[in-house]
Amino acid sequence: MSRFFSAAVSDLDPYTPGEQPRGQNYIKLNTNESPFPPSPRVVEALTEEESRGLRLYSDPTCKDLVDAIAGYYGLQSGQVLAGNGSDENLAFAFRAFCGPERGVAFADITYGFYKVWARLWGIPARVIPLREDFTLHVDDYMDLHEHIVIANPNAPTGIPIPSSDIRRLLERDSERLVMVDEAYVDFGGESCVPLLAEYGNLLVVQTMSKSRSLAGARVGFALGSKELIADLNRVKYGFNPYNINRLSILAGKAAMEDRAYFEKCTGEIRRIRRWTEGELKSLGFTVLPSVSNFLFAASNRMEGGALYRALKKRGILVRWFDAPRINPFVRITVGAQEDMETLIRTLRELLEV
Amino acid sequence: MSRFFSAAVSDLDPYTPGEQPRGQNYIKLNTNESPFPPSPRVVEALTEEESRGLRLYSDPTCKDLVDAIAGYYGLQSGQVLAGNGSDENLAFAFRAFCGPERGVAFADITYGFYKVWARLWGIPARVIPLREDFTLHVDDYMDLHEHIVIANPNAPTGIPIPSSDIRRLLERDSERLVMVDEAYVDFGGESCVPLLAEYGNLLVVQTMSKSRSLAGARVGFALGSKELIADLNRVKYGFNPYNINRLSILAGKAAMEDRAYFEKCTGEIRRIRRWTEGELKSLGFTVLPSVSNFLFAASNRMEGGALYRALKKRGILVRWFDAPRINPFVRITVGAQEDMETLIRTLRELLEV
């Protein structure tokens, strides 16, 4: 920190994203990207004419994109905010809704960014441990004063909770907001989007990075009541109104409209996940019951850090979190079938099973 | 505001961006975009292959883009932060460097976002009036305790100050940061980038939105000491690490590398500005001495709001700020020669000169 860094954020402990290697040809199973390219409609939408059009600002309301998302979910456009990745949506939500008067509560093992945003905005955070088996019990959240953020399915475990659990939280206190981070919901989780019609204290955040193969376009979105979305827009227009570029607006819209391709890709990921999970178990791994596009797995022969390093040396990147409770595990993105076969073959050699 | 909106930001008064009309064919002279498409190298860089590559995250360090910017200015890469538009860079800078212990000072008439970011982050703001003739005198800032942000050339006036003035501020107090917003510097201003070698308390922010015809790609950058840039990265990684998408990284790099095209475009804008300024004066306008890609002009026959509305009705969008001191003026982007000729013809009819 330089001498100019403000004391107001001197305890900010930034998020560490997964490695994004340059130039080396890894099998990349570390940041939950899709092995499939985006919809052909995305590629068609990004014409040379649109590249020349970059001289003009993007639409700050992202209307075309927002309309496509609203149409997909049968919501009104005023119920949708598009963001520069779902990280931006979540950062805005933390700022809009949390503060000294009502902090935010989240699990000890979950998306690592929640605690970072709390620090960034000076929001009191309450950490609720997952149970011994890494499951989240909403009973542990029922009587909290804080707003609640839950990743469902959770990361990096992949374990889901039913939307009926979220409903119980919503019912309990209508003055308390429940923010459900559904980054991985499209691979088999149960979305809370249908609950939006009933509950004004629900905000759902999703991303196009995983199930719609657009990690590199940076498009996420938040869904909620018109009032909540207006609040988020207030923060957006207080931070960076032109938050999504022209090409990503086009890409996101095209991806959203190609439902058949989305279903094909997510179905394929589920199939490959099942196959990989079976293989990992046959190699002696403990594999948490994931409904995501990743598997959280611990070997009975090698600890997590050693496994991560050994795989990296052999050209396969997975993610290892050097943190209490979860350091025996590695998080493995569900990639293309042939990449998973290479992974399993490599693990078999490594572990001598 | 919903009942969930945090009291911590309830006084947030969001920025109002210029109109971005959809579907109607205006001559658009209201948001200082370039009339020229981005460099042909930008169009070449955005291939179908790169669109398919959107499945992968962008490089959070934006290395290729940062290296290109550093190369252009003869800086080290550690002295450059790339942002999702310069608005994001500035928002990060306000958060990193300002706080209750040292607020921020800026002019009463300047980029309207400075006061918004101060509110967003809870930073005390001191507003220093421009002189009667809309010039900024650094003497008015010399003894301030606050960090200082100066748009140079200023917006919406277009009036510059020499870098020797900034040097005086830098010299006066090495514990006080001077942030120079050079969004419009490429059209004839004097950049402070050469001062970076001498002063650790200088941060320069620029954008590719205007002089590099990339408003729709959202690429800005901050230049400073390695220590200041490390601080900004700390905030970036505490907010949204993957802040620039893959295609904008490519576009920004290509634009930065095409120096000849940049010089051709900015030279052309200066030529058209001179022509337009002369014509406006001959129509009885007061025109402030702009070195930007816009002219701030007040008619002796029609007040600013009426002029804005009359031009809009005739298919020409300019920007009018309904604010004290400047409401007689409209801000007119310097567009293509033929568009400026249409503007002047329309004004002649309107004003019956």
Side-chain angles (χ1 to χ4, degrees), chain A residues 4-10 12 120-121 238-239, chain B residues 12 81 86-107 110-127 141 146-151 177-182 203-205 222 228 231-236:
Chain A
F4 297 103
F5 202 70
S6 171
V9 278
S10 60
L12 181 63
L120 176 72
W121 299 114
F239 177 79
Chain B
L12 181 64
L81 178 86
S86 62
D87 283 347
E88 195 192 61
N89 293 93
L90 286 160
F92 288 169
F94 273 53
R95 175 60 297 173
F97 306 121
C98 308
E101 73 284 9
R102 202 187 275 260
V104 62
F106 45 82
T110 189
Y111 185 32
F113 227 127
Y114 303 148
K115 64 175 184 292
V116 179
W117 288 314
R119 289 270 186 91
L120 176 73
W121 300 112
I123 296 164
R126 183 188 295 272
V127 174
Y141 294 74
E146 286 85 358
H147 295 309
I148 295 167
V149 58
I150 291 179
L177 203 64
V178 181
M179 300 180 271
V180 185
D181 179 354
E182 296 189 345
L203 188 79
V204 177
V205 176
L228 292 182
D231 287 348
L232 291 177
N233 268 309
R234 210 174 158 83
V235 174
K236 164 181 153 160

Side-chain angles (χ1 to χ4, degrees), chain A residues 2-3 6 15 20 22 33-34 54-55 57 64 96 174 210 216 218 231 234 237 242 245-246, chain B residues 2-3 6 12 15 20 22 33-34 54-55 57 64 96 174 210 216 218 231 234 237 242 245-246:
Chain A
S2 82
R3 67 186 189 277
S6 171
Y15 181 74
Q20 301 296 355
R22 294 170 48 85
E33 290 141 330
S34 173
L54 288 174
R55 75 175 182 88
Y57 276 101
D64 292 338
S174 63
K210 290 83 169 58
R218 316 306 307 118
D231 288 348
R234 210 174 158 81
Y237 283 84
Y242 297 104
N245 70 90
R246 292 178 76 93
Chain B
S2 82
R3 67 186 189 278
S6 172
L12 181 64
Y15 181 75
Q20 301 297 352
R22 294 169 47 85
E33 291 141 329
S34 172
L54 288 174
R55 75 174 184 88
Y57 276 100
D64 292 339
S174 63
K210 289 77 165 69
R218 319 303 307 118
D231 287 348
R234 210 174 158 83
Y237 282 84
Y242 297 104
N245 70 90
R246 292 178 75 93

Side-chain angles (χ1 to χ4, degrees), chain A residues 244-267:
Chain A
I244 310 191
N245 70 90
R246 292 178 76 93
L247 300 181
S248 293
I249 288 175
L250 291 166
K253 172 178 187 285
M256 214 67 206
E257 288 172 349
D258 196 348
R259 204 182 277 251
Y261 185 80
F262 163 79
E263 281 170 4
K264 194 180 99 182
C265 291
T266 52

Side-chain angles (χ1 to χ4, degrees), chain B residues 12-235:
Chain B
L12 181 64
D13 189 15
Y15 181 75
T16 308
E19 297 160 89
Q20 301 297 352
R22 294 169 47 85
Q24 286 193 58
N25 217 359
Y26 285 105
I27 293 181
K28 199 168 172 308
L29 306 175
N30 69 327
T31 53
N32 299 341
E33 291 141 329
S34 172
F36 309 115
S39 157
R41 292 199 204 174
V42 169
V43 181
E44 279 163 35
L46 303 181
T47 62
E48 288 200 3
E49 187 60 27
E50 294 294 347
S51 295
R52 277 188 291 272
L54 288 174
R55 75 174 184 88
L56 295 173
Y57 276 100
S58 48
D59 171 11
T61 71
C62 307
K63 184 175 187 320
D64 292 339
L65 173 59
V66 159
D67 287 353
I69 297 165
Y72 184 91
Y73 285 109
L75 299 170
Q76 296 181 60
S77 295
Q79 295 183 266
V80 180
L81 178 86
N84 182 33
S86 62
D87 283 347
E88 195 192 61
N89 293 93
L90 286 160
F92 288 169
F94 273 53
R95 175 60 297 173
F97 306 121
C98 308
E101 73 284 9
R102 202 187 275 260
V104 62
F106 45 82
D108 62 339
I109 296 166
T110 189
Y111 185 32
F113 227 127
Y114 303 148
K115 64 175 184 292
V116 179
W117 288 314
R119 289 270 186 91
L120 176 73
W121 300 112
I123 296 164
R126 183 188 295 272
V127 174
I128 309 290
L130 295 181
R131 299 291 175 95
E132 192 65 37
D133 61 353
F134 299 107
T135 57
L136 184 150
H137 289 221
V138 294
D139 297 319
D140 302 340
Y141 294 74
M142 288 300 271
D143 295 318
L144 299 177
H145 173 69
E146 286 85 358
H147 295 309
I148 295 167
V149 58
I150 291 179
N152 186 33
N154 198 12
T157 64
I159 300 174
I161 56 173
S163 72
S164 56
D165 276 7
I166 301 289
R167 184 191 287 273
R168 286 177 56 215
L169 283 175
L170 292 164
E171 293 271 349
R172 180 69 158 225
D173 179 357
S174 63
E175 297 304 306
R176 183 181 61 191
L177 203 64
V178 181
M179 300 180 271
V180 185
D181 179 354
E182 296 189 345
Y184 299 102
V185 79
D186 293 326
F187 303 101
E190 191 184 359
S191 175
C192 290
V193 171
L195 300 183
L196 288 170
E198 291 174 70
Y199 299 98
N201 57 333
L202 170 63
L203 188 79
V204 177
V205 176
Q206 295 196 4
T207 176
M208 299 207 190
S209 293
K210 289 77 165 69
S211 58
R212 289 185 172 82
S213 303
L214 283 179
R218 319 303 307 118
V219 182
F221 50 93
L223 311 171
S225 71
K226 286 184 182 178
E227 292 71 24
L228 292 182
I229 298 302
D231 287 348
L232 291 177
N233 268 309
R234 210 174 158 83
V235 174

